[in-house]
Amino acid sequence: MSNLIELPILDSNAAPEPATAVAPAPAGRRLYIESYGCQMNFSDSEIVSSILAEEGYQATQDADDADVILLNTCAIRDNAEQKIRHRLQHLNALKRQRPDMVIGVLGCMAERLKAKLIEEEKMVDLVVGPDAYRSLPDLIGQAESGQKAINVFLSREETYADIEPVRLGGNGVSAFISIMRGCDNMCSFCVVPFTRGRERSRDAHSIVNEANTLYHKGYREVTLLGQNVDSYKWVDETGHRVTFAELLAMVAEVSPELRVRFSTSHPKDMTDDVLHTMARYANICNYIHLPAQSGNSRILERMNRTYDRAWYLDRIAAIKRILGPDAGISTDIITGFCGETEEEHLETLSLMEMVQYDYAYMFAYSERPNTPAAKKYADDVPEDVKKRRLSEVIALQNQHSLARNRRRIGQVVQVLVEGPAKRGEGMMCGRADQNNMTVFADHGFAPGQYVNVRITDCTSATLLGEAVA
Ligand code: SAH
Ligand code: SF4
Ligand code: F3S
C-alpha cells in the first residue's frame, strides 16, 4: 500500500502568481515531497504541491538538492510509522550537512503524534496535519527562521475545493479526485477518524469542474476518493441533497470517454442506487472495492463495522445481480483481530470462498494507540498466529485471483492504455474496465486510447492478450 511519489519539475515560467498575502518564497527555494499510505495522501500531496507552487517553490526530484523536504505520512499500522522513522533517520544525515534545510512531517502520523513528533525526532522542524495545509507557507517560513512549527488543527469544513491540484508522478491518463474528507465511522481498529477528523463532503460542482478540466487536459480516468464514498452528501443551492449515486452520474456525464472509478465503499452504506447508476453508465467502471475486514459476525461487531456476515453477503449478491457476475470485486481483510478464534478465522476464509474476490489487500491486525479497540479489547492473538492466518488468507486469495483471471480468457475487455508495460519489449499496459492490469503487444497505441483486448493468458496479477479491432 505504501508508495513514494516525487514532484515533477515545474516549468518555473508557468508558476502562477502568489494568490495569498504571504510573501513568496525566496527565488529558487526547492521543495521535495514523498507520499506514503493511501490514495488520499497521494491526492493531498498534489494539493500541498499546488499551495507551495503558488508561493514560488520549485519542485526537485532530488532530496539532496532540496531546501524543504516534506514526508506525507500514514499511521494506519505500526509498520507504516516505522517506515517513516527510518526515513527520518536517513534524512537526519542530510540535515547534519545542511542545517538550514527544513524537514516537515505531514499527514496522518503528524496528526496522531502532534508535538510529540518534534520531541521524539529531533530533526523534524515542521508538523502539519491533513486539514492545515493552507498554513504551510507561513509555517515553513517560521521553521526557516529557526522556530519549530506545528499546526494540527482539524477542521469541520476544509475540503480544499478551490485548489487545483498539481498532478504528481502520474501517467497523464488517470487522476484522483478527492470528494470528501475525514470519517465519521468508528471502526474500532482504525486510527483514521482521529487523524483525519469529521466527515465532510466537497461541493459537487467543484468535483465536476475538476473532472472536466482533467478531461480537457487529456485525462481519461478519474477515481473519486473518500473513506466512505457512499455517505457523500452535499446540499446544493436549491436545497437539494446530492447523494453519491447522483454525484457519480454527474461525473459520468462529463464525457462518455472519461472513465469513472471510486473508492472506498462501506458495506453498511452501499446502496442499490449506486449499483444501478453504475449499470446505467458504460463509463462507470464495473468494479467495486468493498472491504469486508472479517467473515465472522462476532468479530465484525467487535470491529464496530455495523454490518454482519449476512448483510455483507447480501451486498455482494446485489453487486452480482445488478452489475453481473463479471463485475470486479476486491476487499480488505484483517487477520488476528482481538479475540479472533481459529473458527472465526475460518469464517473469513469461507467468506472469501463464497465471494471469489478478484483482488484483496490483506493485513495482520496492528493495535493503534487510543483507538476504541486498544481501549476495550486485549490484542491477544499472538503475532505468529496473526501472520500464519494472514499467509492463509493470502494463499487463498492468490488462488482466487488466478481463477477469476482465467475465467476472463477468451473474453474481450476494454482497456484504457496507460503506457509501456514494465516488462516485455514492445508491450503496452492498461487497466480493463474491471480493474485488472492487462498487457498486450503495442501496435502504435498511445496513452489515453481505448483498446479492445482479447484475453489469451494470465497470471494471478495480470491479464495477457491481443488487441482486436
Ligand atoms: N475507509 C476504508 C479503509 C481505510 S484504511 C474502509 O472503511 O474500508 C485501509 C485498510 O487498512 C482498512 O480497510 C483495513 O483493512 C486496514 N486497517 C485499518 N486499520 C488497521 C489496523 N489497525 N491493523 C491492520 N489493518 C488495518
Ligand atoms: Fe477507518 Fe472504518 Fe472510517 Fe474506513 S470506515 S476509515 S476503516 S473508521
Ligand atoms: Fe494512512 Fe491516513 Fe490513509 S492513516 S491509510 S494515510 S487516511
Side-chain angles (χ1 to χ4, degrees), residues 183 185-187 189-190 192-193 227 266 305:
C183 184
N185 296 311
M186 268 286 173
C187 302
F189 51 80
C190 185
V192 172
Q227 295 300 349
H266 195 300
R305 289 288 286 181

Side-chain angles (χ1 to χ4, degrees), residues 288-431:
I288 191 151
H289 181 58
L290 195 70
Q293 314 297 359
S294 164
N296 171 264
S297 295
R298 188 186 75 98
I299 293 297
L300 286 170
E301 209 213 318
R302 290 194 134 202
M303 288 177 163
N304 196 28
R305 289 288 286 181
T306 68
Y307 54 85
D308 60 9
R309 179 184 173 99
W311 175 278
Y312 184 87
L313 286 171
D314 171 73
R315 296 293 72 213
I316 293 290
I319 293 171
K320 296 193 176 182
R321 183 175 69 243
I322 298 168
L323 301 180
D326 271 340
I329 308 179
S330 60
T331 191
D332 292 350
I333 300 284
I334 297 177
T335 64
F337 185 65
C338 312
E340 186 188 66
T341 65
E342 205 55 32
E343 291 68 41
E344 289 165 341
H345 162 63
L346 292 176
E347 280 203 61
T348 295
L349 297 177
S350 82
L351 182 93
M352 294 171 69
E353 288 285 9
M354 290 180 78
V355 180
Q356 299 276 319
Y357 294 108
D358 293 83
Y359 192 79
Y361 299 88
M362 300 155 284
F363 315 100
Y365 174 57
S366 164
E367 185 180 78
R368 309 311 290 131
N370 300 320
T371 51
K375 289 183 176 162
K376 244 166 104 180
Y377 306 119
D379 178 15
D380 54 0
V381 177
E383 220 44 45
D384 58 328
V385 176
K386 285 181 189 171
K387 292 274 154 60
R388 194 252 306 148
R389 289 180 189 169
L390 178 62
S391 43
E392 288 172 13
V393 165
I394 292 172
L396 184 63
Q397 184 52 46
N398 285 343
Q399 284 175 28
H400 291 165
S401 294
L402 184 61
R404 288 284 294 172
N405 278 353
R406 281 206 179 122
R407 272 175 47 131
R408 302 201 195 273
I409 293 177
Q411 291 180 1
V412 174
V413 297
Q414 193 201 47
V415 176
L416 174 61
V417 180
E418 289 181 11
K422 278 203 203 96
R423 271 180 289 181
E425 187 86 5
M427 302 299 275
M428 293 296 264
C429 71
R431 287 191 181 273

